Amino acid sequence: MTDEVQQPKNITISVHGNEICERLKGTGYFEDLQDAYRTAIFVALAEDLPDNLDEDPTMKPVQNKWDTDAVFRTKGNNVEAALLAVGVTPAETITRGKRLAEIGLRHLLSKMERNVDILDVIIPPFDLSA
Amino acid sequence: MKLLNLKMNDFMAYRGEHEISFEVSEASPIILFLGENGHGKSSIQHAVRWCLYGETESKKIAIPPQQLINRKASQGNPFSANPEMSVVLTWGADGKKYELSRRWTVRNSGAQGEATLRIDGGNPVPETAIPHFVNRYLARSVAHFFFFDGEVQDEFDDMVSNAKSAAFIKNEIENLLSIPVISQGVTWLKSKEHEQYEAIAKASKEDKKVSKASQALVEAEQERSVYVSEMEQSKKKFADAEARIITMEQEMRNASEVEHLISARDQLRGEKNSLKNLRNLKIEELRNVLFSNPWIPLATKLLALQESTDSRIEASRQKEVEVAKKRNELDLLTAMQRSHRCPLCGQDKATDETVALRVQELLQDLEDQTSDDVVELTTLQHHLQQAHVNSAALTEVRNLKKEIDSFGSQIALTDQALEAKIRDLDLYGIQNAQEIVMSIRALDEDKNSAENEIKDYEKKIAECDREIAVHKSVVSRGQGVDPALRKKYQSYGYLSELLGQVKVAYAQQIKNKVQNYASQTFMSIISDPKFAGLRINENYGVDLLMQDGHIDNLKSTGQGKVSTIALVSGLIKTAMTEGFILMDTPFVSLDVGHREAVCRWAASSGLYISFFMHSGEYNEEQILQYLGGKIGRVYRIQRIDSNESTVVAEQGGF
């Protein structure tokens, strides 16, 4: 169904976002930069972060050009499917995903700078009321 | 030498005349002087010393006679214009009785002292000869060994760290054991030999061969003396290096705690590393789970969505079945209304109002039925499945996080303990320990090189000795020399060499004797089975010989005290046939067990020992038990006032 939508072959990431990915990888909790990037998308969604960046950070000089399928559609960690599940329209999955990732990465950076353990941010706590 | 009697008159704490008998039998050789601090125990020791040497001292400072005279006698008595003090000491030695009387008076012309010594009650020995007789039995330089108090302890403690003190004590011990007398004999014989040699050289100056040999002899002797003096330097270097190594090894042993700390630190480091490894393994597992499930941050929402989607799909399906049923019923009833026959059995049925009502009801129900879009829900379900949303992944990451946190806490605790150990190590100065090791290595090298030098010098000296012997033989065979002169020359040579060898053998023998006595005493007092005895080192200092064969230094004050008692008793037993010790406050710094051991040693030591004790040091019942029937006399020192004490003999035993 998403095949019908024209999507870019590659995705870009901002220099700042790339730096944050590097730092997140340094915590040891992520396989690679893309893993951190993917997680950031869901952090932004989980935290209901406002999806209103003034401008598209990926339009600035970029650090990486990643294969879109590798980031969003890998079998086994299909980000696009999860985005569709939470109501993102097929036409928007990549553009929205990119914005969410950049916002999520900045949020994670702010947590790291306050010495918060990243695992406390990315893993939802046990529901004590359950 | 055996003390027999002491009479004091107006001496220190003792106003008027006081007499103390030291006569005891061999079976009960212990005398107890019991009195509190400041009551006059030490006055008795001062009286003995002052009588023997004409002076006494406290903490190495001489006490002037005007301070020894009883205060009441010197100031408080208006009828005594000329204050006076005296002490008479009687001792026995070599089967004779010596009575030494010393008096000190203040006259108008000034202070005046006089002394009289009578042997076996005979005529007085000339006053100038008294020191000779006294020194024969108890040389002043070694007197403090016999008047055992804290002062002696300090000197022995000093020997461990101070080479000067060690040399001083060594000289004193050698004096006590008459080694200098033998050395003087060797020197005298050598001078006589040289005298004869000069006479021979003079007599045979015509003889060219002799003259050449004489010259060579002088040169060889000069060369030898240079080697001897250089060898002494090397020996000193060796002894210094050895002493410093002992001190440093002590420091290293003190740092055994450091070793424990290092081992504890390393163990903690190991624990920390293994915890880190375990934590890293868990992180790796977590990384894999996160990699496969990037939606984890949104898991709560997605899982809730999954759950509601599933249940909504299920509900929709049930509803669809329900609607189908109703549609079937409606179709049936509508057919019945149309044909008045049952569509199932074909029989005629009257159409009644009930059917009409039911049809109406079903039509209404089907109109009200609004069902979810199952297709839409299925698509959502498909997305969730594609994203692999599942609660097991969330549970797994949560558990892994819990384990990672737990390892993190353990690492933090280990880190705290590790920091504490590192702080402790800093207090001990770990760098210092490394420096000590380096210094010990350097000193070992110095010691080895000095040892090699000594061996070289010994060879060179032996070579010189051979050369000297050859030259001497040529000189002594010279023409025109009186044979008697030659014989005398040879005899002095032989004798001086013989006495030199005797001196070395004697010194070694007495050192061994002292060491054996001291070791026996030490072992009878000390109770720890790890010790094997004492070793008297180069400087007559004392080292501990351990059961495992290694040598250790004295570590505690108690060990020092017991070793000192052991060494002093060893010296006295070696140097005297009837040795005595006046031991002032002997039990300070000893625990109860060692006090008992000292008493038991005293009772069996074969020495005449007088203990001067204050009430803090003894318990009468215990002392009685420890010393058994060995107590010959007991004196109680009682204070009358601040300027006067009295000594009372205990009647009927202790």
Side-chain angles (χ1 to χ4, degrees), chain B residues 196-208:
Chain B
Q196 306 311 312
Y197 154 72
E198 280 186 336
I200 291 171
K202 200 175 167 188
S204 60
K205 62 183 175 189
E206 302 299 315
D207 188 333
K208 275 188 181 172

Side-chain angles (χ1 to χ4, degrees), chain B residues 17-289:
Chain B
E17 195 173 299
H18 293 262
E19 186 170 359
I20 296 166
S21 172
F22 284 90
E23 279 196 75
V24 280
S25 69
E26 212 172 302
S28 310
I30 310 290
I31 301 177
L32 299 182
F33 289 89
L34 307 175
E36 300 307 316
N37 284 338
H39 283 199
K41 292 192 303 296
S42 299
S43 298
I44 294 169
Q45 290 214 13
H46 284 301
V48 177
R49 277 201 208 200
W50 183 74
C51 185
L52 285 169
Y53 308 114
E55 59 185 42
T56 185
E57 58 189 33
S58 175
K59 291 178 180 143
K60 295 183 185 172
I61 298 167
I63 309 174
Q66 52 271 34
Q67 282 181 25
L68 295 175
I69 196 162
N70 181 268
R71 282 188 193 170
K72 279 188 181 173
S74 60
Q75 293 166 9
N77 186 348
F79 303 105
S80 173
N82 300 315
E84 178 181 299
M85 65 176 174
S86 66
V87 177
V88 181
L89 180 70
T90 313
W91 74 89
D94 302 334
K96 289 181 178 158
K97 195 172 175 182
Y98 295 80
E99 187 187 272
L100 176 60
S101 162
R102 197 173 289 277
R103 186 183 301 273
W104 191 84
T105 324
V106 180
R107 303 273 179 233
N108 290 336
S109 53
Q112 194 183 325
E114 59 180 58
T116 313
L117 174 67
R118 289 175 197 276
I119 303 169
D120 283 339
N123 290 328
V125 168
E127 198 167 340
T128 50
I130 292 175
H132 165 76
F133 280 97
V134 171
N135 279 321
R136 182 194 287 178
Y137 295 108
L138 195 58
R140 192 181 180 289
S141 59
V142 293
H144 50 228
F145 290 131
F146 301 85
F147 303 103
F148 183 91
D149 59 12
E151 222 171 88
V152 180
Q153 181 69 47
D154 291 347
E155 282 184 27
F156 276 87
D157 285 348
D158 241 18
M159 282 166 74
V160 177
S161 56
N162 188 334
K164 234 178 176 179
S165 301
F168 172 73
I169 297 283
K170 182 174 183 261
N171 285 339
E172 291 199 345
I173 290 171
E174 289 189 346
N175 280 339
L176 175 70
L177 301 164
S178 308
I179 287 176
V181 176
I182 307 176
S183 297
Q184 279 166 22
V186 174
T187 312
W188 183 81
L189 285 167
K190 279 203 178 295
S191 75
K192 294 303 283 180
E193 183 193 8
H194 193 72
E195 227 172 67
Q196 306 311 312
Y197 154 72
E198 280 186 336
I200 291 171
K202 200 175 167 188
S204 60
K205 62 183 175 189
E206 302 299 315
D207 188 333
K208 275 188 181 172
K209 204 176 164 188
V210 171
S211 161
K212 209 175 160 188
S214 298
Q215 184 58 35
L217 181 59
V218 170
E219 282 168 12
E221 277 180 339
Q222 277 171 353
E223 199 181 347
R224 186 188 191 278
S225 73
V226 169
Y227 289 148
V228 168
S229 117
E230 282 174 0
M231 187 168 75
E232 285 307 315
Q233 290 293 318
S234 299
K235 277 186 176 171
K236 194 176 171 307
K237 205 166 118 189
F238 179 87
D240 284 351
E242 197 173 46
R244 285 195 60 204
I245 287 171
I246 288 169
T247 310
M248 291 200 156
E249 281 176 345
Q250 174 62 40
E251 278 178 39
M252 278 304 286
R253 271 191 289 279
N254 280 349
S256 66
E257 179 59 21
V258 170
E259 281 172 29
H260 288 307
L261 285 170
I262 288 173
S263 132
R265 181 199 63 187
D266 292 347
Q267 197 183 332
L268 283 169
R269 277 183 178 161
E271 279 171 23
K272 188 183 163 185
N273 283 340
S274 64
L275 284 168
K276 268 184 160 180
N277 289 338
L278 288 169
R279 186 170 182 264
N280 287 340
L281 284 174
K282 292 293 165 194
I283 287 175
E284 202 178 320
E285 281 182 44
L286 177 99
R287 205 159 56 213
N288 290 334
V289 180

